[in-house]
């Protein structure tokens, strides 16, 4: 397939192809195993003349060898080989269409609720039909039968390789992309072959890709000037417009000078709730909202829209917006789809690069989902978005970041890290496709909390999500009684195989048996009210005291959320932060002001979402 101007010269490309062929020919044999999945890869490789490690490497970058119960990925791919069938993908809603969240989340400006119509999947990639012609199987079988799916993928690779000297271009073409994005996909496949991999799939089958450490791969070319990305991923610039609009309005982000003006504390992980082409059009709409990056599902291509020094409108909380970077991932929080390994890896490389650049800790208090961003005031809590949802694999993501979660505390610690086995942890939520209808059983990062130590007990109450006092529900969008992988909580009680944590002012119980722990001992710091204080107010933003504002900036109210931190309760601390408000309500950057106060706050893990308490109200102590 043709490569872009950034590709290797043809002589170098041919040399790389020859090197890859020799490396693959010398690759060690796969480890002996009786798993059906491993046998299927070996049989398909032999049948279609594809090196087994190439077949395994491609499949790993697509699905990590999982079957995903025949459900589609976020880019309409099925099975271990990610054969695409756009006819089955349907029409998706567009980003920010659900809920009442104002993405800016700034009380100093009118609420912004842009709407965009439903988006159909992009046309042009229908590999399941091509595989059907090559294998004689129908599309449904290729989508749902893992053995035939692997055969179909092998047949496609063999076809793409015909007439070529090496397998690099065939792998690049398999991604469905062109140019540098396809090349990056191929690079990642061959790096996986080089390092090797062993894992147990979502349906319990162990698969091994033996390492080929002597395999040579071509170097990655530099990204275009102006994009902020590591060299190991492919990035392009798709700028979001900073543009004046009628009626003294403007869009779709704010210029700033971070980190000189404000420290960047968080990276917020989103999903797009729409497909790549339509989402990128929205990012270029001056009347819409904005985020810093979008990552494509099929190959991990990254588009940067807003410079990281500037403030995008993405998280629904202006304090968080002003101090974060927002990254959208092509996908859906609850549509029954799964995120590809290519996207996970590309995202982890980007986040690792940004975290190093800005000194952001690699933990779940600072690398957060949109679903972990707090409401600004009581009235906004119910409308906050909840992506990337309970099916985003935080544990695997942090493994890719080189910052694995859990297991660092001593037994009996009063602080725990939530860390269930993703594949085995399968709470049945409702409403993925139709309200009230159970979602398909699938691996999840979420641990459901009960009001008593038994599965039949009601879920916890969330006064912000359910102000009528009713318990939380198992609706996939209801995060009121749900702890997320990587989050840390103080232990409130233990009864046999059940553990309780402090959560939204209550004891939240979850099953935590010795032989299948879903929470691991942790080390860290906790906060509790200072002696003499019965309760402490909790806030969704860390705004300055009124005296800190200059005369030309409207004072922002410090409004408590409808929760309290009571004496005797403890919550995990992510450290003390200063109070700040970025006043940016006009197109003229000269009017923008960063207001910094003397007031200090402590970020805590209060429920599913982070929150803030005034440092003067609490005592910070190590967890034991």
């Amino acid at each position: 397939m043709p490569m872009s101007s950034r590709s290797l010269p043809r002589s170098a490309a041919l040399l790389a192809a020859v090197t890859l062929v020799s490396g693959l020919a010398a690759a060690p044999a796969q480890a002996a195993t009786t798993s059906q999945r491993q046998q299927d890869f070996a049989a398909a490789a032999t049948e279609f003349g594809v090196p087994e490690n190439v077949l395994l490497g491609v499949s790993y970058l697509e699905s990590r060898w999982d079957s995903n119960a025949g459900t589609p990925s976020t880019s309409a791919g099925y099975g271990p080989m990610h054969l695409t069938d756009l006819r089955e993908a349907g029409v998706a809603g567009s980003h920010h269409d659900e809920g009442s969240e104002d993405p800016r989340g700034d009380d100093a400006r009118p609420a912004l609720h842009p709407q965009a119509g439903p988006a159909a999947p992009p046309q042009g990639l229908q590999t399941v039909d091509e595989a059907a012609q090559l294998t004689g199987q129908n599309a449904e079988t290729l989508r749902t039968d893992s053995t035939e799916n692997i055969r179909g993928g092998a047949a496609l690779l063999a076809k793409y390789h015909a007439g070529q000297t090496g397998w690099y271009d065939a792998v690049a073409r398999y991604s469905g992309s062109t140019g540098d994005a396809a090349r990056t996909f191929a690079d990642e496949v061959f790096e996986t072959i080089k390092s090797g991999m062993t894992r147990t799939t979502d349906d319990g089958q162990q698969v091994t890709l033996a390492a080929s450490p002597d395999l040579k791969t071509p170097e990655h070319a530099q990204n275009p000037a102006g994009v902020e990305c590591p060299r190991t991923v492919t990035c392009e610039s798709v700028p979001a417009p900073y543009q004046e609009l009628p009626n003294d309005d403007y869009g779709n982000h704010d210029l700033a000078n971070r980190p000189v003006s404000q420290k960047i504390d968080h990276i917020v992980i989103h999903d797009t709730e729409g497909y790549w082409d339509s989402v990128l059009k929205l990012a270029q709409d001056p009347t819409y909202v904005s985020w810093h990056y979008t990552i494509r599902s099929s190959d991990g291509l990254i588009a940067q829209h807003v410079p990281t020094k500037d403030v995008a409108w993405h998280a629904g909380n202006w304090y968080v917006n002003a101090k974060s970077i927002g990254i959208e991932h092509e996908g859906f929080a609850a549509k029954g789809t799964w995120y590809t390994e290519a996207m996970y890896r590309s995202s982890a490389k980007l986040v690792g690069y940004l975290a190093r650049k800005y000194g952001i800790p690699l933990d779940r208090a600072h690398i957060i989902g949109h679903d972990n961003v707090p409401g600004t005031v009581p009235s906004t809590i119910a409308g906050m978005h909840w992506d990337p949802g309970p099916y985003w694999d935080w544990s695997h993501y942090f493994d890719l970041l080189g910052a694995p979660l859990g297991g660092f505390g001593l037994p009996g610690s009063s602080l725990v890290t939530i860390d269930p086995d993703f594949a085995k942890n399968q709470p049945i939520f409702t409403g993925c496709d139709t309200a009230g209808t159970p979602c398909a059983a699938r691996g999840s990062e979420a641990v459901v909390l009960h009001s008593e130590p038994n599965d039949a007990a009601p879920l916890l109450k969330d006064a912000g999500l359910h102000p009528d006092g009713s318990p939380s529900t198992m609706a996939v969008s209801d995060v009121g009684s749900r702890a997320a992988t990587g989050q840390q909580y103080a232990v409130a009680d233990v009864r046999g195989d059940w553990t309780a944590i402090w959560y939204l002012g209550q004891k939240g119980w979850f099953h935590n048996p010795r032989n299948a722990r879903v929470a691991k001992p942790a080390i860290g710091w906790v906060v509790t009210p200072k002696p003499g204080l019965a309760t402490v107010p909790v806030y969704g933003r860390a705004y300055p005291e009124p005296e800190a504002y200059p005369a030309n900036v409207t004072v922002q109210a410090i409004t408590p959320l409808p929760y309290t931190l009571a004496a005797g309760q403890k919550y995990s601390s992510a450290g003390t932060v200063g109070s700040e408000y970025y006043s940016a309500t006009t197109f003229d950057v000269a009017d923008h002001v960063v207001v910094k106060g003397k007031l200090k706050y402590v970020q805590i893990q209060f429920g599913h979402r982070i929150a803030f308490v005034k440092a003067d109200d609490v005592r910070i102590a190590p967890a034991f």
Side-chain angles (χ1 to χ4, degrees), residues 314-525:
H314 63 97
N317 181 316
W318 185 244
Y319 176 81
V320 175
N321 279 341
K323 300 181 70 63
S324 71
I325 295 169
I327 304 177
E328 294 279 359
H329 298 75
E330 185 184 20
F332 308 91
K335 197 176 169 58
T337 54
W338 43 276
Y339 299 97
T340 65
E341 180 67 4
M343 186 164 65
Y344 274 128
R345 288 195 170 204
S346 186
S347 178
K349 289 180 178 181
L350 175 63
V351 167
Y353 160 84
L354 294 171
R356 290 188 297 272
K357 181 176 182 179
Y358 292 113
I360 302 170
L362 289 176
D363 59 41
R364 285 287 280 114
H366 297 90
I367 311 300
I368 61 177
H370 194 172
D371 54 344
N372 306 134
V373 176
T376 54
V377 296
S379 61
T380 65
I381 295 173
M384 295 297 290
H385 288 175
W386 47 275
D387 53 301
Y391 305 121
W392 177 271
D393 192 343
W394 284 109
S395 182
H396 176 56
Y397 192 61
F398 270 78
D399 285 345
L400 293 173
L401 284 168
L405 301 169
F408 301 109
L410 296 175
S413 171
S414 63
L415 191 70
V416 292
T417 300
I418 303 299
D419 190 23
D421 184 310
F422 183 85
K424 296 178 181 178
N425 182 52
Q426 298 189 358
I428 303 300
F429 298 110
T430 64
C432 288
D433 296 304
T434 306
T437 301
C439 304
R442 58 190 310 111
S444 173
E445 55 85 43
V447 172
V448 177
L449 305 175
H450 295 266
S451 54
E452 295 292 339
N454 66 80
D455 288 322
L459 304 187
L460 302 183
K461 295 180 179 180
D462 185 328
L465 286 177
H466 305 284
D468 62 355
S470 61
S472 299
T473 71
M474 289 299 290
V476 69
S477 60
D478 189 341
V479 299
S481 191
R482 189 183 301 172
T485 291
Q487 292 177 336
Q488 292 188 334
Y489 296 91
V491 175
D493 203 349
V494 177
R495 295 185 196 173
D497 285 342
W498 286 79
T499 299
I501 54 176
W502 289 116
Y503 187 101
L504 296 180
Q506 308 153 82
K507 288 184 179 181
W509 292 90
F510 59 93
H511 196 225
N512 192 33
R514 291 180 180 273
N515 60 348
R517 294 293 195 195
V518 298
K520 314 294 173 56
I523 55 175
W525 299 80

Side-chain angles (χ1 to χ4, degrees), residues 46-62:
T46 300
E47 179 182 0
F48 293 98
V50 179
E52 186 176 344
N53 50 9
V54 169
L55 188 61
L56 284 162
V58 169
S59 178
Y60 190 86
L61 252 291
E62 297 284 19

Side-chain angles (χ1 to χ4, degrees), residues 173-445:
R173 182 177 174 185
Y174 194 95
S175 71
S177 304
T178 59
D180 293 334
R183 182 175 180 272
T184 299
F185 177 87
D187 288 348
E188 198 69 48
V189 167
F190 282 101
E191 284 298 327
T192 303
I193 296 171
K194 186 175 181 178
S195 61
M197 189 66 62
T198 296
R199 74 178 292 264
T200 301
T201 66
D202 60 350
D203 52 356
Q205 302 193 52
Q206 184 171 333
V207 180
T208 297
L209 167 60
S212 300
D214 296 329
L215 183 65
K216 305 298 182 182
T217 56
E219 292 186 2
H220 197 286
Q222 291 189 4
N223 285 304
V227 297
E228 300 168 275
C229 287
R231 289 192 57 178
T232 52
V233 297
T234 296
C235 287
E236 62 182 21
S237 177
V238 183
Y242 186 70
Q243 182 177 323
E244 284 191 283
L245 301 171
N247 303 317
D248 295 325
D249 197 6
Y250 68 98
N252 60 12
H253 60 281
D254 281 293
L255 303 186
N257 188 29
R258 305 184 307 173
V260 175
S261 59
Q262 288 182 282
K263 186 177 183 297
I264 300 174
D265 288 333
H266 297 96
I267 296 175
V268 182
I269 303 299
H270 303 256
D271 74 59
T272 59
E273 296 300 318
Y275 295 100
W276 176 262
D277 292 341
S278 59
V279 169
L280 260 59
K281 289 178 182 177
L282 293 175
Q284 298 172 80
D285 182 350
T287 68
Y288 205 64
V289 295
S290 59
W291 48 95
H292 292 89
Y293 298 89
T294 306
I295 304 181
R296 190 159 66 188
S297 172
S298 61
D299 53 18
L301 173 65
I302 300 171
Q304 183 172 9
H305 311 300
V306 177
T308 57
K309 72 178 183 63
D310 295 332
V311 177
W313 304 343
H314 63 97
N317 181 316
W318 185 244
Y319 176 81
V320 175
N321 279 341
K323 300 181 70 63
S324 71
I325 295 169
I327 304 177
E328 294 279 359
H329 298 75
E330 185 184 20
F332 308 91
K335 197 176 169 58
T337 54
W338 43 276
Y339 299 97
T340 65
E341 180 67 4
M343 186 164 65
Y344 274 128
R345 288 195 170 204
S346 186
S347 178
K349 289 180 178 181
L350 175 63
V351 167
Y353 160 84
L354 294 171
R356 290 188 297 272
K357 181 176 182 179
Y358 292 113
I360 302 170
L362 289 176
D363 59 41
R364 285 287 280 114
H366 297 90
I367 311 300
I368 61 177
H370 194 172
D371 54 344
N372 306 134
V373 176
T376 54
V377 296
S379 61
T380 65
I381 295 173
M384 295 297 290
H385 288 175
W386 47 275
D387 53 301
Y391 305 121
W392 177 271
D393 192 343
W394 284 109
S395 182
H396 176 56
Y397 192 61
F398 270 78
D399 285 345
L400 293 173
L401 284 168
L405 301 169
F408 301 109
L410 296 175
S413 171
S414 63
L415 191 70
V416 292
T417 300
I418 303 299
D419 190 23
D421 184 310
F422 183 85
K424 296 178 181 178
N425 182 52
Q426 298 189 358
I428 303 300
F429 298 110
T430 64
C432 288
D433 296 304
T434 306
T437 301
C439 304
R442 58 190 310 111
S444 173
E445 55 85 43

Side-chain angles (χ1 to χ4, degrees), residues 45-193:
T46 300
E47 179 182 0
F48 293 98
V50 179
E52 186 176 344
N53 50 9
V54 169
L55 188 61
L56 284 162
V58 169
S59 178
Y60 190 86
L61 252 291
E62 297 284 19
S63 68
R64 297 176 73 210
W65 305 321
D66 287 339
S67 65
N68 288 290
T71 60
S73 77
T74 56
S75 47
Y78 291 81
M81 295 304 299
H82 199 253
L83 300 180
T84 53
D85 192 346
L86 297 171
R87 291 180 304 250
E88 296 294 312
V91 176
S94 296
H95 186 56
H96 288 313
D97 278 356
E98 294 185 6
S100 58
E101 178 184 283
D102 167 16
R104 281 193 304 219
D106 184 4
D107 296 346
R109 288 181 278 195
L112 182 66
H113 298 291
Q115 297 291 314
Q123 298 301 309
L125 187 61
Q126 189 70 22
T127 59
V128 72
D129 291 344
E130 197 174 2
Q133 294 176 352
L134 294 170
T135 62
Q137 295 291 340
N138 60 44
E140 181 180 1
T141 299
L142 288 167
R143 289 195 306 267
T144 59
D145 186 311
S146 294
T147 300
E148 294 303 323
N149 184 275
I150 292 169
R151 288 187 66 244
L156 287 173
L157 279 167
K159 177 182 177 181
Y160 299 159
H161 176 257
Q164 298 182 28
T165 56
W167 286 93
Y168 185 88
D169 285 345
V171 171
R173 182 177 174 185
Y174 194 95
S175 71
S177 304
T178 59
D180 293 334
R183 182 175 180 272
T184 299
F185 177 87
D187 288 348
E188 198 69 48
V189 167
F190 282 101
E191 284 298 327
T192 303
I193 296 171

